[in-house]
C-alpha cells in the first residue's frame, strides 16, 4: 500500500510573504504591509503610520510578482501536482470596501493560474492569508465588525466568478484558529486596538471579546462563501484551514490530562468544529462564560452555519508541545503556541519542537472526528541555510525533517486516514510570518534576499529540490537521499 495514486504533492506560499510589488497593479495597503522586519530575538512591529527609514519586508518580499513564471517553472520541474498560494485581497479590492474589483489584480492571478494549468498544477487558493486590507482596519476595525462579512463575500464573488472552470480548491481563511490567541487579532483578523502608535507584534493590545466576535463574523463569512462557491460552480470544493498545534499532557496526572483536553478543544477544535459540523460545540459555552465573552448573533446565523459546512479539512503542522496544570511549569519555552517543552523532542533553531509522529497521531485524531478528506497544507523546517563555496546548499536537515513527516503521513494513510494532499510550507524561501525575517528559510528553492535589504532575488536549487522531485516522482515510495 502506498499513497493514493492521485495524491496531491506540492508546496504552499502566501502572497504577503512572497509577492512584493506592494504598490503595483493598483494594489492597496494590507495589514502585513505595515509590519516591520524583526527576528527571533527582536519582535517585528506594527506601525499604523509608515516610518521613512524602516524596513518593511512584505513590500518586496521575494519579488514573486515579477518572478512568478520562473518560480512556477521550478515547481513544475519538481513535479508539483498542486500549488497552494493566496490571493492578496488588496490587489482585488485595494481598500476593501470598493464596489468593483480592480481589473489589474484579477488579471495578475489569472496569469498565475494559467501558468499553473500550463504544467497541470492544480491551484489551491487561500482567499485570506494574514493580509486584511488596512483600509478596513481603519474603517471598522476589520473583523471586529460585522460589516466585514459583506466586503469578504463581495471579494469572494469576484474571484469565484473570474476563475470559474480553472480552479477547484479554495480555503476560506488561513489558520482561522490563530485568532483564539492574542497574536492572531491583528495578524489574521486585522483588529488593531491602538491605532496611533507603533507596537510590538507580540505585545499588541488584546481584547479577547473582539477576537471571538471576529471569529463569529469569519464563521458566517466562511459559511456564506461555501454556499456561494457551490452556487457559482458545483465543482468547487471549499475547505477550512487550521493551525493544528498538537499537545500532550505533560504527565499522566489527570489534572494535566484534563487541562490538555480543554486547551485542545479551544485551540485545535473550536473553529473547525464550527466549520465542519455547522454549529458551536457545547464546550465553548463554559469558556465564554469564564472569560466574559458574549457573542452577538443575528437571527438566521445558526442556519447559515449549518448550510455552509466545508467540503474538506486542511491544517498546518509544524510542532507539538505539552500542557500541564502545574502553573510553576506553565511557561512557554520557545514554542510560539505556548505550552511547555517535551523532554522527548528536539527543537528547531526557533524553538519549535520537531515531532513527526505527532503528525500521524494528529491525522488520525482529525479524521476520526470529521470523517472528511484531509490535506496537510503547511509543514516544514524554518532553518538558517548557507551557500557553500561551490554554490550548493546542503539542507539535509530539512530533508530529514520532511522525510520523517512524510513517513508518518504514510503511516496515517495505512491507518485509514483519507489524506488527499501535502503542500510543504514555503516551497520557495519567503518572509517569516511570525518574525518578519528572511533568515528563517523553508524553501526547496533559495532566494538571494537578506534581512538588511540586500540581494538580487536570484533563485537557486537547494539539495532538497532534487530530493523532493524524486519523492513526487515515486509517489512517496522513495524517501532516501
Ligand atoms: C503559518 C502561516 C504561514 C507561515 C508559517 C511558518 O503559521 O500560515 O504564513 O509563515 O506558519 O511560520 P513562520 O513564517 O513564522 O516561521
Amino acid at each position: 500500500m502506498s499513497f493514493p495514486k492521485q495524491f496531491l504533492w506540492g508546496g504552499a506560499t502566501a502572497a504577503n510573504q512572497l509577492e512584493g510589488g506592494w504598490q503595483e497593479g493598483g494594489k492597496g495597503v494590507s495589514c502585513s504591509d505595515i509590519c516591520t522586519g524583526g527576528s527571533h530575538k527582536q519582535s517585528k512591529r506594527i506601525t499604523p503610520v509608515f516610518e521613512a527609514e524602516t524596513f518593511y519586508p512584505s513590500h518586496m518580499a521575494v519579488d514573486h510578482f515579477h518572478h512568478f513564471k520562473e518560480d512556477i517553472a521550478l515547481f513544475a520541474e519538481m513535479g508539483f501536482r498542486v500549488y497552494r498560494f493566496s490571493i492578496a485581497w488588496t490587489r482585488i479590492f485595494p481598500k476593501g470596501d470598493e464596489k468593483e474589483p480592480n481589473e489589474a489584480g484579477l488579471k495578475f492571478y489569472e496569469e498565475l493560474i494559467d501558468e499553473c494549468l500550463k504544467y497541470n498544477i492544480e491551484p489551491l487558493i487561500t482567499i485570506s492569508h494574514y493580509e486584511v486590507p488596512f483600509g478596513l482596519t481603519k474603517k471598522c476595525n476589520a473583523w471586529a465588525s460585522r460589516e466585514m462579512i459583506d466586503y469578504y463575500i463581495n471579494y469572494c464573488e469576484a474571484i469565484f466568478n473570474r476563475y470559474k472552470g480553472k480552479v477547484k480548491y479554495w480555503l476560506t481563511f488561513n489558520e482561522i484558529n490563530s485568532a483564539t490567541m492574542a497574536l492572531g487579532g491583528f495578524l489574521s483578523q486585522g483588529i488593531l486596538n491602538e491605532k496611533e502608535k507603533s507596537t510590538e507584534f507580540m505585545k499588541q493590545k488584546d481584547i479577547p471579546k473582539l477576537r471571538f466576535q471576529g471569529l463569529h463574523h469569519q464563521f458566517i463569512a466562511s459559511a456564506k462563501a461555501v454556499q456561494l462557491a457551490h452556487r457559482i460552480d458545483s465543482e468547487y470544493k471549499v475547505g477550512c484551514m487550521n493551525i493544528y498545534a498538537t499537545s500532550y499532557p505533560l504527565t499522566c496526572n489527570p489534572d494535566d490530562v484534563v487541562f490538555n483536553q480543554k486547551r485542545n478543544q479551544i485551540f485545535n477544535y473550536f473553529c473547525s468544529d464550527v466549520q465542519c459540523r455547522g454549529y458551536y460545540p457545547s464546550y465553548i459555552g463554559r469558556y465564554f462564560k469564564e472569560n466574559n465573552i458574549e457573542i452577538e448573533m443575528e437571527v438566521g446565523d445558526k442556519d447559515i452555519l449549518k448550510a455552509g459546512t466545508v467540503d474538506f479539512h486542511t491544517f498546518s503542522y509544524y510542532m507539538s508541545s505539552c500542557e500541564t496544570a502545574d502553573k510553576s511549569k506553565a511557561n512557554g519555552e520557545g514554542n510560539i503556541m505556548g505550552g511547555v517543552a517535551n523532554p522527548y523532542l528536539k527543537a528547531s533553531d526557533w524553538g519549535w519542537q520537531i515531532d513527526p509522529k505527532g503528525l500521524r497521531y494528529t491525522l488520525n485524531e482529525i479524521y476520526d472526528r470529521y470523517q472528511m478528506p484531509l490535506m496537510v497544507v503547511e509543514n516544514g523546517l524554518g532553518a538558517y541555510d548557507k551557500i557553500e563555496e561551490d554554490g550548493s546548499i546542503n539542507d539535509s536537515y530539512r530533508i530529514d525533517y520532511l522525510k520523517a513527516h512524510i513517513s508518518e503521513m504514510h503511516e496515517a494513510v495505512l491507518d485509514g486516514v483519507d489524506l488527499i494532499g501535502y503542500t510543504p510550507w514555503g516551497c520557495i524561501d519567503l518572509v517569516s510570518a511570525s518574525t518578519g525575517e528572511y533568515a528563517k528559510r523553508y524553501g526547496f528553492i533559495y532566494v538571494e534576499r537578506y534581512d538588511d535589504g540586500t540581494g538580487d532575488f536570484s533563485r537557486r536549487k537547494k539539495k532538497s529540490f532534487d530530493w523532493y522531485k524524486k519523492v513526487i516522482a515515486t509517489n512517496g515510495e522513495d524517501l532516501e537521499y
Side-chain angles (χ1 to χ4, degrees), residues 14 17 129-130 174-175 241 318 352 378 425 431-435 440 442:
Q17 293 164 259
H129 190 136
Y130 292 168
N174 179 63
E175 298 189 334
M241 196 306 197
Y318 292 92
W352 293 17
E378 286 187 30
W425 175 250
V431 179
S432 159
S434 56
T435 62
K440 190 180 188 189
Y442 285 89

Side-chain angles (χ1 to χ4, degrees), residues 315-332:
F315 63 101
S316 59
Y317 178 87
Y318 292 92
M319 64 177 122
S320 69
S321 65
C322 293
E323 294 292 338
T324 174
D326 179 349
K327 291 218 163 52
S328 68
K329 293 206 182 102
N331 281 323

Side-chain angles (χ1 to χ4, degrees), residues 4-141:
K5 267 213 165 57
Q6 306 303 324
F7 192 75
L8 293 168
W9 296 97
T13 63
N16 77 92
Q17 293 164 259
L18 181 77
E19 286 178 4
W22 76 297
Q23 287 181 313
E24 291 186 58
K27 184 186 170 301
V29 177
S30 78
C31 283
S32 56
D33 292 329
I34 64 160
C35 289
T36 71
S39 71
H40 185 29
K41 304 239 149 54
Q42 179 64 53
S43 171
K44 64 181 192 177
R45 286 179 302 118
I46 305 164
T47 63
V49 179
F50 281 114
E51 300 167 359
E53 301 301 318
T54 297
F55 183 61
Y56 293 93
S58 79
H59 293 189
M60 294 183 85
V62 293
D63 203 29
H64 177 73
F65 188 75
H66 297 109
H67 288 77
F68 74 93
K69 290 194 175 161
E70 179 187 350
D71 294 343
I72 292 168
L74 286 165
F75 300 157
E77 194 183 329
M78 276 187 277
F80 278 22
R81 299 174 189 168
V82 65
Y83 171 41
R84 175 183 174 225
F85 60 93
S86 72
I87 292 182
W89 188 339
T90 48
R91 284 200 191 283
I92 313 298
F93 290 93
K95 289 206 179 80
D97 63 350
E98 295 87 347
K99 289 267 165 310
E100 296 302 324
N102 169 33
E103 175 55 29
L106 286 171
K107 188 131 197 312
F108 171 68
Y109 292 107
E110 185 153 59
E111 285 175 18
L112 202 155
I113 292 166
D114 286 343
E115 204 61 23
C116 291
L117 298 178
K118 183 169 122 187
Y119 298 106
N120 289 322
I121 298 174
E122 183 90 58
L124 162 61
I125 302 183
T126 318
I127 298 168
S128 178
H129 190 136
Y130 292 168
E131 54 190 328
V132 170
F134 187 50
L136 295 179
T137 297
K138 289 195 279 194
K139 183 167 187 178
C140 59
N141 211 10

Side-chain angles (χ1 to χ4, degrees), residues 433-445:
S434 56
T435 62
E437 69 195 318
Y438 287 96
K440 190 180 188 189
R441 294 172 182 271
Y442 285 89
F444 302 112
I445 301 161

Side-chain angles (χ1 to χ4, degrees), residues 168-196:
K168 185 169 163 198
Y169 296 107
W170 301 91
L171 303 176
T172 51
F173 292 100
N174 179 63
E175 298 189 334
I176 186 166
N177 59 326
S178 59
T180 62
M181 299 184 291
L183 67 81
F186 181 72
L187 179 72
S188 169
Q189 298 183 313
I191 295 176
L192 193 56
N193 297 315
E194 277 174 306
K195 296 203 177 45
E196 309 308 325

